[in-house]
Amino acid sequence: VIFENSAQASKNVAQEIAELIRSKQANNESCVLGLATGSSPIKVYEELVRMHKEEDLSFSNVITFNLDEYYPMTKESRQSYHYFMHQHLFNHIDIKPENVNIPDGTIALEQLNQYCIDYEMKIKQAGGLDFQLLGIGRTGHVGFNEPGSHINSGTRIITLDHITRVDASSDFNGIDNVPKRAITMGVSTIMRSKRIVLMAWGQNKADIIKRTIQGDVSSEVPATFLQNHPNATFVLDQSAASEL
Ligand code: GLP
């Protein structure tokens, strides 16, 4: 779906999420959201906060699982996805703190395998993801599933692609400060979501969007796996769609 601009597109995505939350509430069910960081979802979170404040949208039945976190990374760090999510969303809504799940970048290396298995288990126990929000990296990564990620991959620690670290370098004041690794949900974790919305804005995503939507399905561009998801939508602005 191609929108005139990212503001309109983001409102539309936020509206879908709000409707899902409300329909689950009406049935006394919890709503399990997979959430993303980066610049792409910021306006969606702004709109959800506005709906909470102005339209009584409650997040009391919402459980969230974030896609990824740099490793190692403290929660308090300005660059952490933990900080990002609280600043843009969680601090402004009525979600229960115990319902917020973000991969923990402070787990000791030797405990990480078990931690990742437990993260997957928690998603399952919550009933699975009802909705997964995604951005896309210029490498074709979703979450931090870099090129080479297997369709069956689960939550794990990965090595970041050089391009991804270059793109993050302005946030970290130079590439040398960008962590070399991250914890990420896997491709299979994402693909099991009942609904997926991937958002991309701007000209510098146009090339990877073309490869993702029109290219062959391959772990070289992990986002191409979404072509085989039964309920995934790519939400684009005109610039990101300009090479289709
Ligand atoms: C990071 C995140 C991804 C995100 C990507 C694109 O690598 N781990 O989940 O999709 O950045 O970021 P942006 O939305 O800022 O372009």
Side-chain angles (χ1 to χ4, degrees):
V1 183
I2 302 167
F3 284 86
E4 185 85 13
N5 55 52
S6 63
Q8 278 178 23
S10 300
K11 276 196 175 163
N12 217 271
V13 173
Q15 193 59 46
E16 178 179 339
I17 296 172
E19 276 165 24
L20 180 64
I21 294 172
R22 286 191 170 118
S23 73
K24 293 276 185 181
Q25 251 153 24
N27 294 326
N28 258 328
E29 287 170 3
S30 55
C31 180
V32 186
L33 302 179
L35 298 181
T37 50
S39 57
S40 306
I42 288 180
K43 290 198 195 105
V44 173
Y45 297 149
E46 265 173 31
E47 182 64 10
L48 288 173
V49 169
R50 188 195 65 74
M51 285 192 256
H52 170 64
K53 292 192 170 143
E54 295 174 12
E55 295 171 12
D56 275 346
L57 175 66
S58 171
F59 291 77
S60 58
N61 67 325
V62 173
I63 303 173
T64 63
F65 289 91
N66 262 80
L67 281 166
D68 47 14
E69 179 62 281
Y70 291 106
Y71 186 85
M73 180 56 72
T74 63
K75 291 179 181 166
E76 305 75 38
S77 167
R78 290 286 161 124
Q79 288 90 10
S80 79
Y81 288 163
H82 188 275
Y83 184 89
F84 175 101
M85 287 309 302
H86 285 79
Q87 190 195 20
H88 288 285
L89 186 64
F90 299 141
N91 288 348
H92 314 290
I93 58 175
D94 63 338
I95 193 164
K96 297 180 185 128
E98 64 270 26
N99 286 347
V100 168
N101 300 279
I102 305 171
D104 182 349
T106 69
I107 297 292
L109 202 51
E110 58 274 19
Q111 284 159 20
L112 254 182
N113 267 351
Q114 190 57 47
Y115 178 82
C116 291
I117 292 168
D118 293 346
Y119 199 77
E120 288 282 334
M121 191 51 76
K122 251 185 144 173
I123 297 174
K124 269 195 199 124
Q125 282 166 352
L129 300 168
D130 293 305
F131 182 105
Q132 176 64 59
L133 192 61
L134 293 176
I136 185 168
R138 285 195 302 138
T139 59
H141 70 215
V142 285
F144 270 136
N145 290 284
E146 296 286 21
S149 293
H150 197 273
I151 176 87
N152 290 333
S153 55
T155 301
R156 68 205 186 287
I157 185 155
I158 54 88
T159 300
L160 293 172
D161 197 278
H162 181 67
I163 297 175
T164 301
R165 293 183 67 236
V166 170
D167 284 349
S169 60
S170 59
D171 290 339
F172 283 87
N173 213 355
I175 190 163
D176 292 343
N177 303 323
V178 181
K180 295 196 169 61
R181 291 185 288 185
I183 304 170
T184 184
M185 280 186 196
V187 177
S188 78
T189 327
I190 293 167
M191 289 292 281
R192 276 196 297 270
S193 178
K194 298 173 189 86
R195 165 88 175 127
I196 298 178
V197 171
L198 183 149
M199 303 176 301
W201 326 130
Q203 191 62 41
N204 75 337
K205 295 286 171 74
D207 176 59
I208 193 61
I209 283 298
K210 180 185 167 73
R211 287 161 61 205
T212 296
I213 294 177
Q214 294 176 340
D216 292 341
V217 176
S218 148
S219 66
E220 285 312 298
V221 181
T224 57
F225 289 128
L226 300 175
Q227 290 182 21
N228 293 330
H229 190 280
N231 192 13
T233 301
F234 291 81
V235 175
L236 312 172
D237 68 0
Q238 288 189 341
S239 321
S242 60
E243 285 181 33
L244 294 177

